Amino acid sequence: MKKMERGGLSKFLLSSLLLLIVASCSVKEESKKEEEESKGLVSPAPFFSADSCYFYIQQQLSFGPRVPNTPPHDSCGDFLIAHMKNVAHNVRVQKAQVNAYDGKKLNIRNIIGEFFPDKQIRILLCAHWDTRHVADSDTSGKDKPIPGASDGASGVAVLMEIARQMKIVPPPVGVDIILFDAEDYGNPGESLY
């Protein structure tokens, strides 16, 4: 992996870990801790495996660019659904056909993993799993799709590892993970910023 992608992944991993730690065991005062323990809101922080995370990135990249309406996209989507079914309490797949800026009809799937659905207090974690259909910001190959290691696969890999760890060490809150599709299929050259 390129140095820049590893750095971006490291920052994202750190941010995600901090979010999970804050959600699961942020206690400042002893009395508050006792109160939360009595309500079942304190649990140990799980181990986070960077090796597993890199493996999940590698798995996604092995399918090829995950552009909607392509075999790599379909195969990766099936892989992500299978992973979520292995670790989540409930998995929903939102299938849809959407219109792209270029008139193409895109067959998409948002993948939703629901963890501890009986818990009232919940947090939401999201990433997108598709990749850009053109490398319009590249200096060469602007008309080719991108592999999407840092934009797409890294965020999904972090959530896959968090999901795996939640099966081992249940958090004190409910968690919903959404892997969005078709996030990267925008008009080349247009910016929302």
Side-chain angles (χ1 to χ4, degrees):
M1 232 181 264
K2 294 178 183 172
K3 197 174 206 175
M4 180 172 49
E5 291 175 337
R6 279 187 181 254
L9 178 61
S10 296
K11 289 177 186 173
F12 190 78
L13 285 172
L14 181 59
S15 298
S16 297
L17 282 174
L18 289 174
L19 176 63
L20 191 57
I21 290 168
V22 167
S24 65
C25 61
S26 177
V27 180
K28 294 183 181 176
E29 302 168 12
E30 191 60 35
S31 62
K32 186 175 180 180
K33 182 177 179 182
E34 288 172 9
E35 179 184 335
E36 289 180 350
E37 283 176 353
S38 70
K39 292 179 182 178
L41 294 176
V42 175
S43 69
F47 173 76
F48 188 92
S49 171
D51 289 340
S52 290
C53 203
Y54 282 117
F55 172 76
Y56 294 140
I57 292 170
Q58 182 183 35
Q59 289 297 109
Q60 292 173 80
L61 293 177
S62 73
F63 295 110
R66 286 131 356 252
V67 178
N69 298 348
T70 65
H73 179 264
D74 294 342
S75 297
C76 186
D78 293 343
F79 164 71
L80 297 173
I81 291 166
H83 177 79
M84 283 298 173
K85 285 184 176 180
N86 188 43
V87 294
H89 290 92
N90 299 316
V91 177
R92 289 184 290 139
V93 179
Q94 292 178 332
K95 293 182 180 182
Q97 188 175 76
V98 297
N99 297 319
Y101 73 93
D102 58 3
K104 262 191 189 165
K105 303 248 185 241
L106 304 178
N107 297 305
I108 66 164
R109 295 185 284 179
N110 294 327
I111 302 162
I112 304 165
E114 189 177 41
F115 298 80
F116 310 98
D118 55 321
K119 296 191 178 184
Q120 295 275 325
I121 300 171
R122 309 195 63 75
I123 61 171
L124 177 65
L125 303 172
C126 307
H128 74 90
W129 65 276
D130 65 308
T131 56
R132 189 123 179 84
H133 62 296
V134 291
D136 52 326
S137 294
D138 246 348
T139 55
S140 64
K142 291 181 178 228
D143 60 339
K144 293 187 168 80
I146 64 166
S150 63
D151 188 2
S154 63
V156 169
V158 168
L159 296 184
M160 291 174 76
E161 176 59 7
I162 289 172
R164 186 178 77 85
Q165 290 300 325
M166 284 192 293
K167 186 173 182 179
I168 299 166
V169 180
V173 296
V175 178
D176 299 300
I177 292 179
I178 303 178
L179 305 178
F180 287 109
D181 198 356
E183 185 275 343
D184 247 347
Y185 204 102
N187 192 352
E190 276 190 15
S191 175
L192 298 174
Y193 306 106

